Amino acid sequence: MTPKQLKQIAVGLVVLLVLWGALKLFKRDSDTTTAKFVLPALTANDVDTVEIERSHDTLLLTKRGPSSWSVNGMDASLSAVNDLFQALKGTTTAELVAQSAASHKDLGVDSASGKRLSIIKGSKTLVDLVVGNHGSAFEGVYVRRPAENAVYLIQGGLGNSVDKGLDDWRDRTIADVDPDSVHTIDVRLKRGGYVLRHDTTGWRFADGAKADSGTVRRMLEQYRNLQAGGFPTKAQEDSIRFTHPTRRVTLQGASHPLADLVLDSTANWWWVRKADGGTIFRLE
């Protein structure tokens, strides 16, 4: 073997060693970066404010009490709030997918299309993320920290929570009444109405006539967990009047009303609200 050939072999070995060292260094840095991305396993009890800032709107969720939240000043769905924290808890893996700002637009984590999620306790921000597009096959979602270029793909339902519209965050519960707790049913129509009372023999009308207890029971079951289909738009809400409602339903317990609702019908649904005011619901 000539000296020239030996020199070529030596140079080749040096190149291979440099490439191997660079590969090991890159792998170690990637693993380290991935390991640093950890979301805290928070619950709704650990925080008092959640802000979701999007290009077209901002949602501000504020804790009112141990089991009560508001969203933009309106009653919030506790199950939607719990879903958010369950999604945080379910985020157990994070895959580093990009490290350059050039990738942000394609992954939906740029300043124009990314959703900013901030979870706050007092004056301390516990989670601060830019949430982007869903991963392939709608699995997981791309995220990054606002001050960093690195983008991660995390599994779980966090993307679903930050994508919810305002109406999806609102509490849709119209009534929540245990049928066994109802003693009197008072239904008033535009013309006429009826009153039913429960005694030891079953349900009876106000004049003493016996009512079909099975039919009454099926009616009351609708109020066990009566959920709205949605809410009126601002223009619709401004035009809704309950001065002469189509129907008023009062469910009375042993000593106090359990539900007192006024309903106004349209061609496709009912508008419903409590008799003394408050949120207007769409009942389909």
Side-chain angles (χ1 to χ4, degrees):
M1 187 175 294
T2 66
K4 183 178 180 180
Q5 289 175 320
L6 290 173
K7 183 178 181 180
Q8 290 174 336
I9 292 172
V11 170
L13 288 172
V14 170
V15 171
L16 287 174
L17 286 172
V18 170
L19 290 174
W20 178 82
L23 181 62
K24 292 291 288 183
L25 181 62
F26 175 78
K27 186 175 185 302
R28 183 182 65 190
D29 289 345
S30 297
D31 290 345
T32 301
T33 303
T34 302
K36 286 181 180 178
F37 189 89
V38 179
L39 292 176
L42 301 172
T43 69
N45 295 326
D46 300 322
V47 308
D48 50 42
T49 305
V50 176
E51 184 175 15
I52 303 173
E53 184 179 354
R54 304 180 290 199
S55 60
H56 57 286
D57 66 1
T58 298
L59 303 175
L60 184 64
L61 292 131
T62 306
K63 182 187 286 185
R64 290 173 170 170
S67 58
S68 176
W69 286 71
S70 68
V71 54
N72 291 9
M74 296 170 285
D75 293 340
S77 164
L78 189 58
S79 63
V81 173
N82 288 333
D83 285 345
L84 170 65
F85 289 99
Q86 189 62 39
L88 284 174
K89 184 179 178 181
T91 304
T92 57
T93 60
E95 176 188 353
L96 179 66
V97 296
Q99 298 191 74
S100 169
S103 66
H104 290 179
K105 183 177 180 180
D106 290 339
L107 299 176
V109 292
D110 59 329
S111 58
S113 55
K115 283 86 68 175
R116 184 78 173 263
L117 171 65
S118 303
I119 300 179
I120 303 162
K121 173 69 173 180
S123 60
K124 185 176 181 181
T125 299
L126 306 177
V127 172
D128 194 9
L129 292 176
V130 178
V131 183
N133 301 335
H134 290 268
S136 59
F138 214 70
E139 292 185 3
V141 68
Y142 298 110
V143 300
R144 69 177 177 89
R145 296 187 179 95
E148 298 178 4
N149 288 330
V151 182
Y152 301 84
L153 177 64
I154 61 173
Q155 300 303 317
L158 186 62
N160 297 330
S161 287
V162 299
D163 286 344
K164 288 180 187 290
L166 173 60
D167 283 2
D168 297 320
W169 281 101
R170 293 180 63 182
D171 183 8
R172 298 189 179 214
T173 304
I174 301 173
D176 184 13
V177 177
D178 179 0
D180 293 332
S181 65
V182 179
H183 287 234
T184 303
I185 303 169
D186 187 345
V187 179
R188 302 179 195 177
L189 311 175
K190 280 189 174 180
R191 294 180 180 178
Y194 57 90
V195 175
L196 292 163
R197 293 189 178 90
H198 189 266
D199 59 24
T200 55
T201 63
W203 286 96
R204 293 185 178 275
F205 288 97
D207 63 2
K210 190 173 183 180
D212 185 325
S213 294
T215 300
V216 176
R217 181 73 186 194
R218 286 191 293 273
M219 172 190 174
L220 291 177
E221 283 292 340
Q222 297 181 58
Y223 294 89
R224 182 188 290 275
N225 184 24
L226 186 61
Q227 296 288 315
F231 305 89
T233 64
K234 185 65 171 67
Q236 288 172 329
E237 186 169 354
D238 290 341
S239 66
I240 297 171
R241 299 287 183 270
F242 288 100
T243 308
H244 302 289
T246 306
R247 185 172 301 178
R248 179 171 179 171
V249 178
T250 305
L251 305 181
Q252 181 80 27
S255 59
H256 61 280
L258 303 172
D260 191 5
L261 306 174
V262 288
L263 302 88
D264 213 6
S265 62
T266 71
N268 300 306
W269 56 70
W270 295 80
W271 296 123
V272 187
R273 104 169 170 200
K274 292 180 180 178
D276 58 359
T279 301
I280 300 176
F281 302 93
R282 187 182 76 241
L283 181 64
E284 298 171 353

